[in-house]
């Protein structure tokens, strides 16, 4: 089994350590196995901001001599760059040796195995970015603490990649290892940056299809309630991806931002104008980023001029929206909702309640039934959860991974087609994982898809990759 980047338990029956966060590694006697994890703060003399640098040091001891002998020359047995390490036959080895990594890889590991180790020693790792600048340098970490002669000693240092600054530094990297201040090993590897949603202009455009349409709504600033941070950026990014990757012609794209997204305007578009534009061979993409609101267990979308205290009068019922979409003369409708119906906003460092006097945890809504086989809805969260934001990316968390999936990250079978099931699975997994990283367990978010199960709709191709 592979060892995770953030190990939290021993892998043997016994251990001499009282804490996983012991300041220095210690020697393990023969037949014992222990992984120590040390959280290292970023160096104060650089501008690098690293969330967590994990130092993983393992000492696998052979037969120890009675006394130390520093005259024995220590030899480098192997130095390997890998994606993970694993235990095999009471030894630790590189599980996934690699010379190339991507920005989606969790980590890069530099493992060194020394032979004929004697005396108290110290190892240090230095990582250099593609510009040749020192990215990170560890302290000197003690090995062979009791000074005895041992057949071997295996140690490694783990450098985080995914969601760290390293992920944005593609090119040739170098890592050097020093034993007692002298160079003992050096390796190079390449780090490739996967496409981000901000790289949309670099993607090859899909041929526009006159049978594809998009209705896009982004409401960041409201007349009567708190804003939804990054909602406009979300809507504009979805528009760009729809035009570039979904084959929606610009002239078939209807976008309503902030004050143009009133209740009257949205109802006019969905109940009147679209029905005169669409044909039964067309596909419609509907995207919404803004507030959702509950009232009497009924979910509503809150338009720009809506009032969170009177949604039954001023907001757009979700069930009514689905009914209006079902009446349109189209072949398929794909709906993407970056909102929630918990009565709270998750686009900030702290949750904020939209309904005056509402107590967290008591608001409930009933999911409206989809009485149509031509509508598929992907929403950001369960009805009782909030829809979080991704502050570093300046987008909603759901929208960010939705667009990354459309760009190709969701193409699990690499057939250059992103199917609905692939997209849903990708968004569900990435949003849940990233929510835990950003907010811990206090603000869980699980994207939803309806109908469930998808049935034949799951094979629908959302995007074709050129």
């Amino acid at each position: 089994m592979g060892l995770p980047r953030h190990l939290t338990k021993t892998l043997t029956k016994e251990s001499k350590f009282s804490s996983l966060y012991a300041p220095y590694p210690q020697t393990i006697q023969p037949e014992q196995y222990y992984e120590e994890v040390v959280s290292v703060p970023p160096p104060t003399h650089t501008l690098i901001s690293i969330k967590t640098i994990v130092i993983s040091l393992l000492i696998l001891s052979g037969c120890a001599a009675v006394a130390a002998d520093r005259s024995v020359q220590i030899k480098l047995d192997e130095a390997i760059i890998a994606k993970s390490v694993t235990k095999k036959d009471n030894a630790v080895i590189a599980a996934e040796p690699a010379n190339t990594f991507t920005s989606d890889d969790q980590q890069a590991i530099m493992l060194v195995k020394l032979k004929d180790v004697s005396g108290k020693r110290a190892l240090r790792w230095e990582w250099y970015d593609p510009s040749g600048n020192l990215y990170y340098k560890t302290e000197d970490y003690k090995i062979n603490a009791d000074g005895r002669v041992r057949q071997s000693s295996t140690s490694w240092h783990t450098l985080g990649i995914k969601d760290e600054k390293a992920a944005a530094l593609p090119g040739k990297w170098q890592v050097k290892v020093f034993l007692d201040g002298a160079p003992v090993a050096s390796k190079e590897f390449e780090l490739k940056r996967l496409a981000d949603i901000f790289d949309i202009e670099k993607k090859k455009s899909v041929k526009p299809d006159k049978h594809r349409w998009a209705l896009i709504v982004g409401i960041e600033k409201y007349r009567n309630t708190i804003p939804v941070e990054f909602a406009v950026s979300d809507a504009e990014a979805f528009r760009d991806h729809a035009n570039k990757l979904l084959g929606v012609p610009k002239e078939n794209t209807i976008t309503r931002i902030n004050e143009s997204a009133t209740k009257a305007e949205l109802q006019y578009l969905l109940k009147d104008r679209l029905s005169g534009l669409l044909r039964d061979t067309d596909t419609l993409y509907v995207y919404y980023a803004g507030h959702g609101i509950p009232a009497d267990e009924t979910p509503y979308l809150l338009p720009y001029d809506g009032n969170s205290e009177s949604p039954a009068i001023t907001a757009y019922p979700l069930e009514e929206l689905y009914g209006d979409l079902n009446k349109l003369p189209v072949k398929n409708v794909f709906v993407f909702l970056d909102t929630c119906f918990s009565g709270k906003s998750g686009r900030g460092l702290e949750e904020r309640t939209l309904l005056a006097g509402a107590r967290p945890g008591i608001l409930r809504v009933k999911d409206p039934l989809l009485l149509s086989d031509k509508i598929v809805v992907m929403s950001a969260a369960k009805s009782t959860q909030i829809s979080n934001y991704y502050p570093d990316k300046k987008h909603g968390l759901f929208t960010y991974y939705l667009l990354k999936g459309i760009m190709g990250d969701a193409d699990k079978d690499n057939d250059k087609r992103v199917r609905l099931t692939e997209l849903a699975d990708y968004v569900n997994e990435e949003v849940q994982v990233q929510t835990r990283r950003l907010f811990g367990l206090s603000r869980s978010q699980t994207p939803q898809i309806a109908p469930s199960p998808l049935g034949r709709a799951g094979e629908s191709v959302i995007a074709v990759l050129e």
Side-chain angles (χ1 to χ4, degrees):
M1 61 181 176
L3 301 177
R5 178 160 66 164
H6 300 284
L7 199 67
T8 57
K9 63 182 180 179
T10 61
L11 300 179
T12 54
K13 298 179 180 178
E14 57 181 331
S15 169
K16 294 181 179 180
F17 295 87
S18 59
S19 169
L20 285 176
Y21 297 93
Y24 297 103
Q26 300 181 38
T27 299
I28 305 303
Q29 299 306 315
E31 307 306 321
Q32 291 182 318
Y33 176 81
Y34 185 79
E35 168 85 13
E36 180 188 359
V37 178
V38 180
S39 179
V40 180
T44 57
H45 62 280
T46 72
L47 298 177
I48 301 169
S49 173
I50 304 174
K51 298 177 186 174
T52 307
I53 297 292
V54 179
I55 302 295
S56 300
L57 294 171
L58 171 73
I59 311 296
L60 288 181
S61 302
C63 297
V66 174
D69 182 1
R70 289 191 63 92
S71 66
V72 177
Q73 185 177 2
I74 298 177
K75 301 176 182 177
L76 175 66
D77 190 12
E78 61 181 358
I80 301 177
I81 291 284
K83 295 184 179 182
S84 64
V85 294
T86 189
K87 182 184 178 186
K88 182 178 181 181
D89 298 330
N90 204 36
V92 167
I93 62 173
E96 298 179 83
N99 294 318
T100 302
F101 296 77
T102 73
S103 54
D104 258 9
D105 283 319
Q106 293 291 334
Q107 60 202 9
I109 297 172
M110 176 59 163
L111 179 147
V112 292
K113 183 178 180 181
L114 305 175
K115 294 177 62 177
D116 302 329
V117 179
S118 65
K120 296 180 181 180
R121 304 289 183 168
L123 284 172
R124 183 177 78 249
W125 288 258
E126 294 181 0
W127 298 80
Y128 292 85
D129 67 22
S131 298
N133 299 318
L134 179 62
Y135 180 82
Y136 188 76
K137 178 175 72 173
T138 72
E139 298 176 3
D140 289 334
Y141 285 91
K142 296 179 182 178
I143 64 172
N144 208 44
D146 62 8
R148 296 189 173 193
V149 178
R150 287 184 167 81
Q151 293 178 356
S152 65
S153 173
T154 302
S155 311
W156 69 86
H157 177 240
T158 301
L159 182 72
I161 297 179
K162 187 174 183 178
D163 300 318
E164 305 285 354
K165 285 190 176 297
L169 298 172
K172 289 284 187 181
W173 283 68
Q174 184 180 28
V175 54
K176 300 177 181 179
V177 183
F178 298 82
L179 176 65
D180 298 330
V184 69
S186 178
K187 286 286 184 180
E188 291 186 348
F189 64 95
E190 185 174 6
L191 177 59
K192 295 182 178 181
R193 182 172 177 263
L194 294 181
D196 205 335
I197 66 171
F198 312 108
D199 300 325
I200 182 64
E201 292 303 321
K202 300 177 183 178
K203 300 288 287 186
K204 184 177 180 180
S205 297
V206 173
K207 183 179 179 180
D209 183 345
K210 66 180 182 179
H211 297 292
R212 296 193 174 194
W213 295 75
L215 171 61
I216 301 166
V217 179
I219 311 174
E220 186 165 332
K221 297 180 180 179
Y222 278 84
R223 178 188 294 173
N224 302 308
T225 191
I226 59 177
V228 179
E229 195 168 7
F230 308 136
V232 170
S233 297
D234 287 343
E236 291 175 345
F238 186 88
R239 178 198 61 203
D240 294 342
H241 283 67
N243 296 154
K244 191 92 172 182
L245 302 179
L246 301 183
V248 179
K250 292 183 178 180
E251 61 270 21
N252 287 10
T253 305
I254 301 172
T255 306
R256 294 294 180 264
I257 300 295
N258 289 336
E259 62 272 9
S260 65
T262 63
K263 180 181 179 180
E265 176 66 10
L266 297 182
Q267 288 183 326
Y268 161 66
L269 290 172
L270 288 157
K271 296 177 183 292
D272 186 356
R273 186 181 176 191
L274 282 174
S275 61
L277 296 173
L278 300 171
R279 299 293 181 265
D280 57 9
T281 55
D282 293 345
T283 293
L284 173 65
Y285 300 94
V286 178
Y287 175 86
Y288 174 86
H291 282 312
I293 202 77
D296 298 326
E297 297 188 338
T298 299
Y300 294 81
L301 299 182
L302 194 66
Y304 165 77
D305 54 346
N307 191 317
S308 60
E309 297 301 316
S310 55
I313 300 173
T314 64
Y316 205 142
L318 200 57
E319 190 169 5
E320 181 179 333
L321 170 69
Y322 294 161
D324 292 338
L325 291 173
N326 188 46
K327 294 175 184 177
L328 294 175
V330 291
K331 181 180 179 180
N332 296 301
V333 182
F334 298 102
V335 183
F336 306 99
L337 302 176
D338 197 343
T339 188
C340 62
F341 304 99
S342 63
K344 294 174 284 186
S345 173
R347 297 219 177 185
L349 295 177
E350 297 180 357
E351 298 178 19
R352 301 175 67 181
T353 302
L354 298 177
L355 299 176
R359 290 173 294 169
I362 66 170
L363 298 173
R364 296 289 185 271
V365 296
K366 294 180 180 178
D367 295 324
L369 296 176
L370 278 178
L371 302 178
S372 172
D373 58 3
K374 68 181 181 182
I375 301 176
V376 175
V377 180
M378 286 184 63
S379 54
K382 292 181 179 179
S383 59
T384 56
Q385 296 175 334
I386 60 176
S387 178
N388 292 297
Y389 73 155
Y390 198 162
D392 290 347
K393 302 297 184 180
K394 301 186 184 305
H395 279 285
L397 199 56
F398 171 79
T399 295
Y400 178 77
Y401 284 108
L402 172 69
L403 299 182
K404 273 185 71 75
I406 289 173
M407 289 185 72
D409 283 18
D411 183 21
K412 189 174 182 179
D413 58 8
N414 297 314
D415 67 348
K416 300 296 183 180
R417 285 170 170 74
V418 178
R419 290 176 171 78
L420 187 59
T421 50
E422 292 178 313
L423 183 61
D425 290 345
Y426 171 80
V427 172
N428 186 289
E429 179 178 356
E430 293 297 327
V431 168
Q432 290 190 71
V433 170
Q434 192 61 30
T435 298
R436 290 194 294 271
R437 288 181 183 147
L438 292 172
F439 307 107
L441 299 177
S442 61
R443 286 167 61 165
S444 59
Q445 180 178 343
T446 307
Q448 303 292 292
I449 191 163
S452 181
L454 283 170
R456 293 177 60 185
E459 294 303 309
S460 300
V461 176
I462 297 297
V464 177
L465 308 176
E466 297 290 338

